[in-house]
Amino acid sequence: MKRKLLLVMAILSICVVLAACKKEPASSTESQPTAEATATPEPSLEPYKANVLTGEPQDADYKDQRITAVMVNNIVAARPQRGLSKADILFEIKVEGGITRFMPMFTDYEDIGEIGPVRSGRDQFFRLILPWQALYIHEGQSVVMQQYAIDFSYGNLNNNDGAQGYRDYGRINWAGASYNSGNLALEHTMYTNSDNIAEYIENNSVDMDRTYNSTFFNFVDYRTGETRDLSNSIDSAYSDKYGPIVGDGEYIEIEHSPSYKTRFIYDSASNTYKMQQNYSDGQWRDTIDEAADNTVLTFPNVIVLYTDIHTYPGHEAKDLQYAEYAWGGVGYYCYGGKCEKIYWQKGTPLEALRLYYLTEDGQCSDTPVEINIGKSYVAVSDVDYAENFVHSTLDGVDLSTATTKTYESSYVEDNAEAGETLGMSTDDLTTNATGSGEAETPVEETPAEEEPVEEAPVEETPVEEEPPVDDPEAVG
């Protein structure tokens, strides 16, 4: 059972991290050797001033300000989105109905331009940015998300109207549908932009000043001019019972649910991964930004983190998803056509996400993983689908072959009323949700070779296990 697996992972990773991540200080009683000659001092490096989300050196326009995160719709009918190519980090996590949602993160909101369709907030995203006190922009929110904002006194940093968002009733989706034509739902038409966000900040006196003392990931130090080659990583010689810790990663395929999949194709010329998603007609298509001349989304870093994701007890009708962050677990870091197995930790909502190398015996080490500088895609995915994670060479991969048709399961969109509460704290809610999933324990992957404030209520979506190929609105 998934609970047993995660309990083992929890005990293992907590014990290892607590025991290994705290190094004992050197004894002050030990004798120190006397230097016989004065060594030539190494040239000192300039002060480390990196972009908090990418690890790149700060440019002349860099501002010490809060990160901005925006919730963006990823239901198939909402594609293509706008503004995603500007994101420094892009999170994708499963929400209700088996669908996923995006949370692009930006170092500077003034660089966003237009973004959307903006969608409702969910706590599995919010808990990742809570330690960073980011400005969180969405339209509508689940009652769980609203309770988190209340419990953590998030105030105007939790923006619930899309930062004065606006409707684009004439926007046409990938299948030619639009609201004006009567075949695109209203919730896929909300957008905002940098000017609206700036106006929201000014009108509400939002304090955006923030100097971060660390970066979101443990990036390679840009001052050295080095890039970490995963083939020569400190754990590249290690293996566990599933195979080498570092393996091929030119092709990456992530299953978020039986109906939602994302894949990445490595391009050695640009040293980046091109992002594609599965559609309701069974085809893979590039993930593009229509606000940037249909630019295809690419990332040098792809990170996949596995954990228990299941429905909150008592919220089955709306299928609100709980993501377990307290225990940590296994993940993968992919760069340069290679994938490296890692461990991740988070802990309480106020603790930041942390990534670690594996030890020689395949356990969590006390050494933080070094992420190469640049933009990152991060998937938090259900451990139920870890066995379906694919990382391989491109040799033999038929990129034109579809693996599934995207669809959504039945649910009713949750949208909390103003002032609505859970009737319990988020701590109590988490206690109730922890370990309540009933999925079978997955087998780890086999190596490839071997909500918005709606003008109209959202109706319950019927279950369609395989929507008709000619129905472009099979999803939402």
Side-chain angles (χ1 to χ4, degrees), residues 165-184:
Y166 51 88
R167 298 284 178 186
D168 183 353
Y169 297 108
R171 67 93 54 174
I172 299 174
N173 74 356
W174 69 278
S178 71
Y179 179 80
N180 282 343
S181 299
N183 53 4
L184 183 67

Side-chain angles (χ1 to χ4, degrees), residues 37-342:
T38 303
T40 302
E42 293 290 332
S44 60
L45 295 173
E46 67 210 26
Y48 181 71
K49 294 183 178 180
N51 181 305
V52 65
L53 296 181
T54 67
E56 297 167 321
Q58 297 176 5
D59 59 25
D61 297 327
Y62 190 87
K63 306 179 187 71
D64 286 327
Q65 67 176 21
R66 295 183 190 276
I67 296 165
T68 298
V70 185
M71 289 304 299
V72 174
N73 202 344
N74 189 40
I75 204 166
V76 174
R79 301 173 188 169
Q81 295 91 346
R82 300 173 189 169
L84 297 182
S85 66
K86 302 286 187 68
D88 293 317
I89 298 178
L90 179 66
F91 277 95
E92 183 177 8
I93 309 176
K94 182 176 70 169
V95 291
E96 54 270 17
I99 68 175
T100 64
R101 195 159 288 176
F102 287 141
M103 183 179 70
M105 297 174 62
F106 305 89
T107 309
D108 186 351
Y109 67 87
E110 293 183 349
D111 295 335
I112 295 173
E114 187 177 33
I115 189 163
V118 180
R119 207 62 167 105
S120 54
R122 294 291 180 266
D123 69 282
Q124 56 266 55
F125 295 90
F126 176 72
R127 286 182 283 147
L128 292 169
I129 62 171
L130 178 58
W132 301 89
Q133 295 292 287
L135 173 62
Y136 186 42
I137 298 173
H138 48 93
E139 189 212 4
Q141 58 190 343
S142 71
V143 67
V144 178
M145 172 59 228
Q146 183 155 287
Q147 189 67 53
Y148 266 98
I150 293 170
D151 286 3
F152 288 92
S153 303
Y154 218 64
N156 284 331
L157 287 174
N158 180 43
N159 171 256
N160 193 25
D161 67 354
Q164 303 176 148
Y166 51 88
R167 298 284 178 186
D168 183 353
Y169 297 108
R171 67 93 54 174
I172 299 174
N173 74 356
W174 69 278
S178 71
Y179 179 80
N180 282 343
S181 299
N183 53 4
L184 183 67
L186 185 69
E187 61 263 27
H188 309 318
T189 64
M190 175 64 76
Y191 295 85
T192 192
N193 58 40
S194 295
D195 290 341
N196 284 35
I197 296 170
E199 187 176 349
Y200 166 78
I201 291 170
E202 181 178 359
N203 291 346
N204 293 276
S205 300
V206 180
D207 178 11
M208 290 296 289
D209 290 338
R210 183 81 174 194
T211 299
Y212 293 105
N213 295 320
S214 61
T215 50
F216 197 90
F217 295 122
N218 178 46
F219 291 107
V220 173
D221 190 334
Y222 69 83
R223 298 173 299 178
T224 67
E226 297 177 355
T227 299
R228 188 165 76 85
D229 181 359
L230 271 60
S231 299
N232 297 319
S233 178
I234 61 174
D235 54 8
S236 58
Y238 301 161
S239 295
D240 61 15
K241 63 181 180 180
Y242 299 105
I245 299 303
V246 177
D248 294 319
E250 295 177 335
Y251 179 84
I252 303 166
E253 186 172 310
I254 306 158
E255 181 172 340
H256 303 277
S257 73
S259 60
Y260 266 63
K261 294 185 178 182
T262 303
R263 73 180 185 183
F264 292 87
I265 300 165
Y266 179 65
D267 175 37
S268 59
S270 62
N271 193 32
T272 60
Y273 286 93
K274 179 175 74 172
M275 182 175 178
Q276 294 186 331
Q277 293 179 285
N278 191 242
Y279 277 67
S280 54
D281 60 358
Q283 300 301 309
W284 288 100
R285 287 182 172 81
D286 292 342
T287 305
I288 63 172
D289 181 351
E290 68 175 1
D293 296 326
N294 295 328
T295 297
V296 178
L297 269 59
T298 60
F299 302 88
N301 300 309
V302 174
I303 299 168
V304 185
L305 309 176
Y306 284 102
T307 191
D308 179 11
I309 302 178
H310 62 266
T311 307
Y312 273 109
H315 295 273
E316 289 79 8
K318 296 181 179 179
D319 196 32
L320 285 181
Q321 297 291 293
Y322 167 70
E324 177 60 75
Y325 291 146
W327 294 340
V330 171
Y332 294 86
Y333 170 48
C334 304
Y335 178 89
K338 295 292 182 180
C339 272
E340 176 178 43
K341 189 179 294 185
I342 61 175

Side-chain angles (χ1 to χ4, degrees), residues 2-13 327 434-435:
K2 180 160 51 174
R3 172 161 173 72
K4 293 180 180 179
L5 170 68
L6 290 166
L7 281 172
V8 171
M9 292 169 62
I11 295 169
L12 173 64
S13 39
W327 294 340
T434 300

